[in-house]
Amino acid sequence: MDIKVDDLSSAEIANFLEEHIRDMKAVSPPESNHALDLDGLKKSEITFWTVWDDSILIGCGAIKELSANHAEIKSMRTGVSHRGKGIASMLLQHILNEAKLRSYRRVSLETGSMPFFEPARNLYTKYGFKNCAPFDPYKEDPNSVFMTKEL
């Protein structure tokens, strides 16, 4: 498996992210859906990675710089047929290593509070993330769980 910085220009990643957005809309009310679409991920403060098994796109994730010492994990997703194989763990480790290289002192994230998001919450907890208060630009929301990790 290879993890690559992605410029978000291929039809494959566009389709992969459309599926992600559809899933998020299906389980989160509109006011609690914070998933970024393709254009939202093409910001200079975001680095986006894709995970490939030969020529098959199997996962993605991003990091968004919030400040010189704080970043946010965005758009973590593993393709449905590849879940439970350690891909998300591998990608999360990659993102955390990159955050350390960039000298961030903290990495945070927002995920859902619904049962659909339990595997994600468990993954983040396994890697030392702890629940926290909402961080900018988020507000308190019963459909969101906010987590952070000091590096």
Side-chain angles (χ1 to χ4, degrees), residues 9-144:
S9 64
S10 74
E12 285 172 295
I13 193 58
N15 293 334
F16 198 80
L17 287 170
E18 282 179 26
E19 184 179 306
H20 178 60
I21 297 293
R22 276 194 307 273
D23 281 354
M24 297 306 97
K25 286 181 177 179
V27 297
S28 300
E31 67 276 8
S32 299
N33 188 340
H34 304 291
L36 295 175
D37 63 11
L38 199 58
D39 288 335
L41 289 164
K42 290 182 179 179
K43 306 287 185 202
S44 62
E45 65 271 16
I46 295 176
T47 303
F48 188 85
W49 291 275
T50 46
V51 184
W52 298 85
D53 187 5
D54 291 322
S55 62
I56 300 169
L57 175 59
I58 60 174
C60 67
I63 194 166
K64 177 181 179 182
E65 183 171 295
L66 300 176
S67 72
N69 60 15
H70 187 198
E72 178 184 8
I73 293 175
K74 299 293 293 180
S75 300
M76 284 280 294
R77 179 174 183 81
T78 301
V80 174
S81 62
H82 293 85
R83 292 184 182 158
K85 298 179 181 177
I87 294 160
S89 289
M90 182 180 73
L91 181 57
L92 182 58
Q93 288 174 350
H94 180 85
I95 290 171
L96 291 173
N97 287 339
E98 183 65 27
K100 289 176 187 173
L101 288 173
R102 295 180 184 193
S103 300
Y104 295 133
R105 287 188 231 139
R106 183 165 63 121
V107 177
S108 302
L109 61 94
E110 179 277 337
T111 191
S113 63
M114 296 71 106
F116 177 87
F117 297 99
E118 186 174 356
R121 293 190 306 269
N122 290 340
L123 173 71
Y124 297 129
T125 299
K126 175 182 170 185
Y127 281 89
F129 283 81
K130 307 240 184 274
N131 288 2
C132 66
F135 52 94
D136 193 39
Y138 301 102
K139 306 288 185 243
E140 196 65 48
D141 181 346
N143 297 303
S144 289

